[in-house]
Every structure is written in structure tokens, then in C-alpha cells.
Amino acid sequence: MEKQQILTIIKSYISKMPSLPTTVSKILQICNDPKTSPGDLNQVISLDPVLMGKVMRLINSAYYSLPNQITSLVRAIIMLGINTVKNLAISTAILGNLGKKNNFQALNMNGFWRHSICVGVTSKLIARYRKVDPSLLEGYFVAGLLHDLGKIPLNNKMSDEYVEAISLTDKEHIPLYKSEEQVIEVNHAEVGKLIIESWKLGKDIENAVYYHHALDEYQGEFLDVVYTIAAANIFANTFEIGFSGDRYPEKLPGSVFKYLGINWDYLEGIEDQVNSEIDKAQIFLRVAG
């Protein structure tokens, strides 16, 4: 099958996916306004009992370990921060659409999401280590969480071919994205970009998803996010935390570690912290799902 035919099938699949809920779209619109206040979000979220419940569950979860229960939505939004609330809304929509077991034919769902969470929390830890603005840290988590999103439509619509691609990776010891291109003509980064574009999740996440295997090609404004997610992905694959089908990742260019100011000693040193953060982040995902 030609690449264009395959892309047509994938685009058709994506177009039939449920769109982002109205509340989530409104939240994204509000959060893109630098003048946004917790009161603005409160007005929108208070009209969505499901999302409101998730916000309250998150602030009162073990993830935050607060001494007293929070009962005010406005206070919860203030304490969580606008970006965390936005990312919870995004995660809720995505897991609701793509997190179900029937979306995982060739990949193991639990292994896939553990890998994805690992990349999310590792990205956040790297960003925190580099003293990135605290208000942006949850954005690194979500970009890492979604970096392999394109694998789900591929292994859902073309599960036989995807099994073949994963087998080719193991047989020839090549990165999964290359075996995807050999077997299916498109790779998961291309497909992931289509989903992020369809849902208008922002250029930072779109760039991280599309370029995490094509760092040499990237010339955009979100180099920090793209490099961080790529480094976190290599960490997750090398240390085999979760499984996303990619046992033989490419080595990162030295320029990535130099730019980020980290090395393998740093990554090895945070493994225990990453595993601890994964356990905490599972709560975030359970709340979102």
C-alpha cells in the first residue's frame, strides 16, 4: 500500500475520533490568554461536573499530600495552577478517547502507558533540574506523556502490520520508527502530529511529538521541549521502564546533552526518583481517565 493511501486511512481514523469536549476546548482558549485568572477557569469548569470532580480529586489525592481537604474549586485551581488544570483537561480528553484497551492490539496497554508516564515525569524532572519556569513544568509532563500517541492509531488500524514492524525492530536491532517506515510507510511521529494538529493542543506539544526522532531537522522555537522529551524517551527505553515497542533506540546527538546540561550519570542518578514519580503520576492518570 502506498504511503498516501495509508495516510488517508489514518487521517480518516483521526477525523472520526471524538473531538475535544467543548469544556476542554474552552479551557485551552482561556489558558492561551496571558490575562487568564483562576476565576475565568472556575466559570468554565464549574459547568462541567465531571471535570470539576477530577480537579477536586486531583488536589485531594496523594499526588499532592495536603494536610487538609480542599472543597473550593477556585482554591483548587489556585493551588494546582492554571497549567496543571489545563493539562488535566487535556489528559482527560485524550485518555477518554485513546486510553481504552481495545485501542491496543499489538502493544501492551500497561507497558505503553508506563513508558509514556516515564517520559512525562522524566521530562518534568529534567526541566525542573534546569530551573525551567515552574508554571511550565506540567507542559513538559504532558508533552512527554503524549510523545508516542501516534502508535495507537497505527496499531489499531493496522495491527498485523504493526506486529510485523515490532518484530522487524527486534530482528534487525533498529529503532521502531524506522521499521514502521519500512513496513507501513509512515512512522508514529507523523501520525502523532496529525492528532495534535486535529485537537489543536499547541505547537510545543506538536513539535515534541513530531521531532523526537528527528532532532537534526528541528529549527523551531521549542528546542528546549523537543530536546527534553527526546532525552527522557531515550532514558525510558534504555532503562526499560515500561515498553513502547522500541528496544533499540538511536543514540542521542551529543549536542542534546550539551544543550540540556545533563549526562548519563545524571540520568542514572534519577532512576529511583523517576520510578517514585511514576507511582505518583499514576494517580494523575487515574484521575484523568
Side-chain angles (χ1 to χ4, degrees):
M1 194 180 301
E2 296 295 326
K3 179 173 182 176
Q4 201 53 51
Q5 291 176 285
I6 293 168
L7 282 174
T8 298
I9 293 171
I10 295 297
K11 286 178 180 177
S12 174
Y13 174 88
I14 293 171
S15 70
K16 292 174 184 174
M17 286 164 38
S19 59
L20 288 180
T22 303
T23 303
V24 177
S25 297
K26 185 66 175 175
I27 287 172
L28 292 178
Q29 181 183 340
I30 289 174
C31 290
N32 286 334
D33 182 350
K35 298 178 182 178
T36 291
S37 71
D40 297 325
L41 280 180
N42 177 67
Q43 287 183 339
V44 176
I45 295 172
S46 62
L47 298 175
D48 187 329
V50 173
L51 185 56
M52 179 179 174
K54 291 180 186 297
V55 170
M56 300 311 297
R57 280 177 60 199
L58 181 61
I59 191 62
N60 289 305
S61 72
Y63 189 78
Y64 288 93
S65 302
L66 298 177
N68 300 308
Q69 185 172 23
I70 306 301
T71 57
S72 163
L73 177 60
V74 173
R75 190 176 176 206
I77 293 170
I78 291 170
M79 295 181 74
L80 289 170
I82 287 172
N83 279 307
T84 297
V85 174
K86 178 189 75 173
N87 292 329
L88 177 62
I90 292 172
S91 299
T92 296
I94 287 166
L95 292 177
N97 287 330
L98 294 175
K100 300 177 178 63
K101 286 188 177 181
N102 60 4
N103 287 323
F104 291 80
Q105 306 299 321
L107 290 172
N108 173 272
M109 180 182 70
N110 293 331
F112 176 85
W113 283 121
R114 187 169 181 83
H115 167 84
S116 299
I117 295 169
C118 176
V119 175
V121 301
T122 304
S123 298
K124 185 176 175 180
L125 287 172
I126 293 172
R128 182 184 293 149
Y129 172 78
R130 300 181 59 246
K131 296 185 170 49
V132 167
D133 184 337
S135 68
L136 302 177
L137 294 179
E138 290 299 332
Y140 282 75
F141 172 76
V142 170
L145 178 69
L146 303 183
H147 76 288
D148 274 348
L149 195 63
K151 291 179 179 178
I152 297 177
L154 283 178
N155 98 104
N156 189 314
K157 288 302 293 181
M158 300 177 174
S159 56
D160 291 341
E161 292 87 345
Y162 212 69
V163 169
E164 185 181 342
I166 292 175
S167 297
L168 183 63
T169 288
D170 291 340
K171 181 180 178 182
E172 298 193 4
H173 293 192
I174 59 175
L176 179 57
Y177 83 92
K178 289 188 173 180
S179 64
E180 289 169 347
E181 291 169 352
Q182 287 187 39
V183 175
I184 312 176
E185 298 283 339
V186 297
N187 67 53
H188 62 272
E190 295 175 84
V191 177
K193 179 176 183 287
L194 295 175
I195 299 173
I196 304 302
E197 283 179 333
S198 173
W199 284 351
K200 299 179 175 63
L201 294 182
K203 281 290 181 183
D204 52 345
I205 295 177
E206 178 190 314
N207 286 182
V209 168
Y210 186 63
Y211 287 100
H212 70 278
H213 291 303
L215 303 178
D216 292 339
E217 298 175 19
Y218 188 68
Q219 298 179 355
E221 62 180 301
F222 299 106
L223 189 67
D224 204 274
V225 178
V226 172
Y227 275 12
T228 300
I229 273 62
N233 185 47
I234 288 291
F235 168 84
N237 283 321
T238 301
F239 285 80
E240 297 184 340
I241 301 175
F243 179 64
S244 65
D246 202 355
R247 288 192 178 92
Y248 303 97
E250 290 177 319
K251 290 183 178 180
L252 283 184
S255 57
V256 174
F257 285 122
K258 184 177 180 180
Y259 174 89
L260 295 175
I262 62 173
N263 53 31
W264 274 109
D265 287 340
Y266 164 78
L267 292 175
E268 289 175 0
I270 66 170
E271 184 178 6
D272 288 344
Q273 190 178 1
V274 166
N275 281 311
S276 174
E277 289 294 323
I278 288 173
D279 292 338
K280 291 180 182 178
Q282 295 275 12
I283 298 169
F284 185 97
L285 281 237
R286 281 199 294 272
V287 169

